[in-house]
Amino acid sequence: MTIDFNHFTPWDALLGGLLIGLATAFLFLGTGRVAGVSGIFGKLVCDRAPDSGWRFAFLAGLVGSGLLWSLLGNPQGVFQQGFETPGAWALFSVAGLLAGFGARMANGCTSGHGVCGLARLSGRSLVAVPCFMLGGGLAVYLIRHVLGG
Amino acid sequence: MKLWCSLLSGLLFGAGLIISGMTDPGKVQAFLDVAGAWDPSLGFVMLGAIAVAGIAFRLGARWGITAHQTGGLGIDASLVIGSLLFGVGWGVAGICPGPALVGLGAGLLPASVFVICMLFGMEAQAWLAESGARNESDTPGQTPASDRPEAF
């Protein structure tokens, strides 16, 4: 294992993480709800759950943040990398199917289990997080080191 | 008031994802690539987020705020298999559901494709779970996915 210090950005990551934590705090203290993105999306769009105004508002904010960032001219160029590889849409469709299926089956994704669940010391999340890290690690290992370099 | 809290939370959440690097597929894959040139940055995202969220959940408990629809589910095969499948999807694309929705807002085609397929994946899982529950309708405790708690 070698650490890639050229691309290591602990301070940006920590600041972004603090904002994500703050967002989770706002939602929980303001509405009593837990900020799990796949759960909020699934309940609103698939289940058409009643009392979903807050879900719509949260997702509008999330989508709106991307819109605002691109209207600001994409400072730091975060949306230039990684999305423009040829055939990206094919990979992204397979990935989206797996992520949607898996997140619903496990009742949570990176935000629900990874942030909220771990912060609440949920036993289920303590199992889910190593499992999705393992799945992600295996996928990247296959793509980068077995299929192509 | 609740709607404004939710909207603000979504905006802050998205800003956090963008600033931290979670919306950069290459950076996510570099975090998951422990066998290559490993970039541990995204560990710091979890660290910061869990620290603040942990304080909020503790405060909420003291103020008598209880989380809606959490708990009640045990550790089972669905949790393990679902999380593994989710992880593979996350690794293949380098984005998870939150960053995909942020990318949709930024008008990125691959992110939008991811969101639409994520919806199909969720529908497929709900359909499978419900037909499974129908076949085993004599077994008590089987609930269709739509009645299951939100998370965790």
Side-chain angles (χ1 to χ4, degrees), chain A residues 2 4 7 9 13 17 23 32 34 53-55 58 65 67 81 95-96 102 104 107 110 112 120 122 124 132 136 144-145, chain B residues 3 6 9 14 24 27 33 36 38-39 41 46 49 68 70 73-74 82-83 87 89 96 105 117-118 122 148-152:
Chain A
T2 47
D4 183 4
H7 296 103
T9 51
V34 173
W54 71 275
R55 293 190 179 93
F58 179 85
S65 69
L67 177 67
Q81 305 119 349
R104 195 170 165 110
N107 269 20
T110 1
R120 297 171 60 245
S122 149
R124 276 173 59 82
F132 66 61
R144 289 199 169 177
H145 303 289
Chain B
L3 291 184
S6 307
S9 172
D24 176 351
K27 197 156 182 76
D33 188 11
W38 186 44
D39 177 358
S41 307
M46 286 187 84
H68 281 256
T70 50
L73 288 171
S83 296
C96 49
C117 290
M118 177 170 86
M122 287 178 169
R148 286 159 76 193
E150 196 123 334
F152 340 118

Side-chain angles (χ1 to χ4, degrees), chain A residues 7 10 12 20 26 30 44 53 58 82 114 118 124 131 139-140 145 147:
Chain A
H7 296 103
D12 285 355
I20 293 170
F26 259 115
L44 178 70
F58 179 85
L118 289 188
R124 276 173 59 82
C131 286
V140 171
H145 303 289
L147 296 176

Side-chain angles (χ1 to χ4, degrees), chain A:
Chain A
M1 184 202 288
T2 47
I3 292 183
D4 183 4
F5 281 109
N6 293 327
H7 296 103
F8 186 43
T9 51
W11 296 111
D12 285 355
L14 194 63
L15 176 66
L18 291 174
L19 283 176
I20 293 170
L22 208 60
T24 307
F26 259 115
L27 191 70
F28 181 66
L29 297 177
T31 69
R33 298 292 184 160
V34 173
V37 175
S38 61
I40 293 174
F41 181 81
K43 284 271 171 183
L44 178 70
V45 185
C46 293
D47 300 331
R48 294 179 188 86
D51 187 28
S52 271
W54 71 275
R55 293 190 179 93
F56 187 81
F58 179 85
L59 293 177
L62 200 58
V63 173
S65 69
L67 177 67
L68 282 176
W69 195 269
S70 60
L71 289 178
L72 288 173
N74 190 15
Q76 296 178 19
V78 283
F79 293 136
Q80 251 99 63
Q81 305 119 349
F83 285 104
E84 285 167 1
T85 41
W89 64 271
L91 271 184
F92 275 69
S93 45
V94 176
L97 276 174
L98 284 170
F101 192 97
R104 195 170 165 110
M105 192 174 179
N107 269 20
C109 61
T110 1
S111 52
H113 281 307
V115 175
C116 300
L118 289 188
R120 297 171 60 245
L121 298 175
S122 149
R124 276 173 59 82
S125 299
L126 289 171
V127 172
V129 175
C131 286
F132 66 61
M133 293 281 183
L134 180 68
L138 285 173
V140 171
Y141 185 79
L142 271 176
I143 291 170
R144 289 199 169 177
H145 303 289
V146 178
L147 296 176

Side-chain angles (χ1 to χ4, degrees), chain B residues 67-134:
Chain B
H68 281 256
Q69 297 180 305
T70 50
L73 288 171
I75 292 164
D76 52 16
S78 300
L79 177 72
V80 172
I81 296 167
S83 296
L84 280 169
L85 289 175
F86 169 76
V88 171
W90 183 37
V92 167
I95 51 170
C96 49
L101 287 162
V102 175
L104 174 82
L108 296 168
L109 181 66
S112 315
V113 168
F114 184 99
V115 171
I116 293 165
C117 290
M118 177 170 86
L119 177 60
F120 283 127
M122 287 178 169
E123 292 281 12
Q125 199 280 331
W127 183 79
L128 274 180
E130 269 163 48
S131 59
R134 237 177 289 127

